């Protein structure tokens, strides 16, 4: 790959020259590179998984960009050489992260982050037998990262299950055993 600087001939040329080299522009720079062809190797399991994940992310991006409000949101986050579609694919590709679960009396405090936005956090409280005692949605705190759920109580030997969901619907599930 070569970056072209001040060459009058290549300023207006784009495309492939005789199955040898490809000339294209990215972020205002002209790039000359060897023409790549399709791989002759059989894709690995990880490659197939990545392709499927990308196919799902691209489908989400196409669908979500039909909503003008979400399109404007993603466009506002786009940087140089990016657009709303790129940002929507990036968002769909990664799940939110549940960083911390704390207990304050009967309140569950969940710290959840996503590169874009965590849409909802659901809390389920189960007893020792696995029966759901209560469930509900947590409320976003003022800091934009902590989510609060006021429960009725925590059964001994039970567990608290936290489900964080982002805009594309990616879920991250974490559970804490109660002592």
């Amino acid at each position: 790959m070569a970056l072209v600087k001040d060459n009058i001939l290549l300023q207006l040329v784009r495309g492939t020259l005789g199955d040898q080299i490809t000339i294209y522009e990215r972020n205002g720079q002209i790039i000359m590179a060897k023409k790549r062809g399709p791989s002759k190797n059989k894709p690995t399991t990880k490659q197939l998984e990545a392709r499927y994940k990308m196919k799902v992310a691209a489908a989400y991006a196409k669908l979500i960009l039909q909503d003008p409000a979400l399109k404007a949101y993603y466009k506002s986050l786009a940087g140089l050489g990016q657009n709303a579609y790129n940002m929507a694919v990036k968002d769909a590709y990664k799940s939110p992260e549940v960083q911390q679960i704390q207990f304050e009396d009967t309140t569950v405090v969940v710290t959840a982050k996503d590169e874009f936005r965590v849409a909802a956090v659901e809390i389920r409280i189960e007893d020792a037998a696995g029966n759901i005692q209560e469930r509900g949605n947590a409320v976003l705190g003022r800091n934009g990262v902590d989510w609060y759920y006021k429960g009725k109580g925590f059964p001994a030997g039970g567990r608290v299950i936290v489900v964080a969901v982002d805009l594309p619907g990616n879920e991250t599930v974490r559970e804490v055993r109660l002592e």
Side-chain angles (χ1 to χ4, degrees), residues 89-153:
V89 168
K90 187 176 182 181
D91 190 18
Y93 210 76
K94 292 185 178 179
S95 298
E97 180 183 352
V98 176
Q99 295 180 327
Q100 189 173 3
I101 302 172
Q102 296 176 328
F103 300 97
E104 297 173 359
D105 293 327
T106 59
T107 303
V108 181
V109 181
V110 178
T111 303
K113 288 187 177 180
D114 189 65
E115 190 172 343
F116 294 89
R117 182 172 27 172
V118 176
V121 173
E122 181 190 4
I123 309 290
R124 290 192 311 257
I125 300 174
E126 297 181 353
D127 61 12
N131 299 319
I132 296 176
Q133 297 298 307
E134 61 181 291
R135 78 182 318 160
N137 291 322
V139 177
L140 182 62
R142 287 188 195 184
N143 65 3
V145 178
D146 291 335
W147 294 77
Y148 297 88
Y149 177 78
K150 182 116 173 118
K152 296 175 186 138

Side-chain angles (χ1 to χ4, degrees), residues 30-50:
I30 300 170
I31 300 172
M32 240 169 92
K34 178 182 175 187
K35 182 179 180 205
R36 294 188 54 182
S39 174
K40 293 172 180 43
N41 299 334
K42 191 174 181 182
T44 65
T45 305
K46 283 188 173 184
Q47 286 174 326
L48 291 173
E49 288 172 3

Side-chain angles (χ1 to χ4, degrees), residues 7-28:
N7 187 319
I8 296 171
L9 176 64
L10 296 178
Q11 289 294 321
L12 302 173
V13 176
R14 300 291 178 270
T16 302
L17 300 174
D19 285 346
Q20 293 283 324
I21 58 173
T22 301
I23 302 169
Y24 59 97
E25 187 172 349
R26 163 121 335 140
N27 294 332

